[in-house]
Amino acid sequence: MMMTMNNIVIIPWSTIGVVIAWYSSNIGVLLLNKYLLSNYGFRFPVFLTTCHMMVCSLFSYVIVSVTDAVPLQRVRSRSQFGRIVALGVVFCFSVVCGNVSLRYIPVSFNQAIGATTPFFTAVFAYAVSAKREAWVTYATLLPVVAGVVVASGGEPSFHLFGFVICVSSTAARAFKSVLQDILLSSEGEKLNSMNLLLYMAPIAVMVLLPATLLMEGNVIQITMDLARKDIRIFWYLLLSSSLAYFVNLTNFLVTKHTSALTLQVLGNAKGAVAVVVSILIFKNPISMIGMLGYALTVIGVILYSETKKRYSKN
């Protein structure tokens, strides 16, 4: 936790290290997936997501069940398990759509769209549970949406399908967070993010394997043929899958070392860092209008976070 001394905030090195690890894993998996699916030519986003979930299943079992680094929380009822299955399916859809979108749009535009998550969260919270926020909180969502509209109009690499599928991923991610809040809200059914991943990842694998065989049936043979020419493909897949797990692990650790609100603020900054890094690496063109739109979205998200925090205290 952060400490103060003579009004000076002292941040422990362990917290700084966890935040750096969280940023690195988040941005790393995003850039590596973009490289694999777009630049490298490995056009199998469903299989890539399946690899992610298989490695997440293995690492989750080791970290939670074997090492006890994270305390194990057991499923208490059949109904709770059914809710976890529902969350797992929505989670699958979100991750697959996110990976598919990277085939068609640059990381910078992907992050601009992803920043609209609070908008979809507010919409689904109202639609599903009639949860209302103060009118000023909803007003702050206008620049969030307006920013994406502006960024879309000024995006040189705009691709309609990539845009639609990325919006779908963002909406599904927001829907999962609302469902999670509703379905696992009782005191006896609360699960932390690492235990939830422990149960969701194997469910995701069972959903994704048939989808992979149906949509990308020849992926194993193609991957083997590709490996004969370039063995690095296996290392790329392993690294991408490992980073996907460490995104969740470091997310959990950042929340533990700081707070959920700090995580949200750091997440906003992370998106901006990811945009800059992706432009530097992939050299994708970006217009001043696109930059203005993304900045408008980030400002809207910050205002939304601040107003929600302020009015939730009242």
Side-chain angles (χ1 to χ4, degrees), residues 17-269:
V18 166
V19 171
I20 292 174
W22 182 55
Y23 268 48
S24 300
S25 56
N26 266 274
I27 297 173
V29 72
L30 190 64
L31 297 179
L32 184 54
N33 287 354
K34 174 64 178 177
Y35 173 73
L36 279 170
L37 296 167
S38 183
N39 297 62
Y40 190 80
F42 186 80
R43 305 187 184 281
F44 302 102
V46 182
F47 177 69
L48 178 62
T49 309
T50 305
C51 292
H52 286 185
M53 292 302 102
M54 290 175 69
V55 171
C56 282
S57 298
L58 175 62
F59 282 4
S60 293
Y61 177 76
V62 172
I63 295 294
V64 179
S65 299
V66 177
T67 67
D68 288 329
V70 177
L72 175 65
Q73 296 173 290
R74 298 192 181 278
V75 175
R76 295 176 178 271
S77 65
R78 187 172 298 178
S79 62
Q80 185 187 21
F81 179 73
R83 294 165 184 173
I84 294 171
V85 170
L87 288 171
V89 172
V90 177
F91 178 65
C92 280
F93 180 79
S94 172
V95 177
V96 169
C97 286
N99 284 337
V100 170
S101 72
L102 290 174
R103 283 186 55 185
Y104 302 98
I105 60 175
V107 171
S108 54
F109 192 36
N110 174 284
Q111 289 295 284
I113 297 170
T116 62
T117 301
F119 168 77
F120 289 104
T121 302
V123 170
F124 286 128
Y126 179 77
V128 175
S129 60
K131 182 179 179 181
R132 297 187 179 185
E133 303 286 353
W135 70 268
V136 69
T137 305
Y138 288 119
T140 60
L141 292 173
L142 293 177
V144 173
V145 178
V148 172
V149 172
V150 172
S152 301
E155 175 56 51
S157 305
F158 182 83
H159 189 285
L160 181 59
F161 178 75
F163 171 77
V164 171
I165 206 71
C166 190
V167 170
S168 300
S169 172
T170 304
R173 185 164 59 247
F175 186 52
K176 173 189 167 289
S177 68
V178 172
L179 279 182
Q180 184 174 330
D181 187 52
I182 295 171
L183 299 179
L184 301 176
S185 58
S186 65
E187 195 61 36
E189 293 190 347
K190 283 184 179 178
L191 294 173
N192 63 46
S193 59
M194 298 313 300
N195 276 273
L196 185 59
L197 183 65
L198 171 68
Y199 297 118
M200 282 201 313
I203 294 168
V205 172
M206 288 188 286
V207 172
L208 289 167
L209 274 177
T212 301
L213 295 174
L214 182 65
M215 301 169 65
E216 303 169 347
N218 58 346
V219 62
I220 300 298
Q221 185 59 50
I222 292 175
T223 303
M224 295 300 293
D225 292 340
L226 185 60
R228 292 188 185 96
K229 301 175 183 178
D230 185 4
I231 193 63
R232 291 178 301 175
I233 183 61
F234 286 141
W235 294 109
Y236 289 149
L237 290 174
L238 179 60
L239 178 59
S240 176
S241 302
S242 300
L243 286 173
Y245 175 76
F246 283 107
V247 165
N248 293 279
L249 177 60
T250 53
N251 184 295
F252 171 78
L253 292 175
V254 168
T255 306
K256 185 177 179 180
H257 279 255
T258 57
S259 67
L261 180 61
T262 302
L263 181 76
Q264 195 172 34
V265 174
L266 290 171
N268 296 335

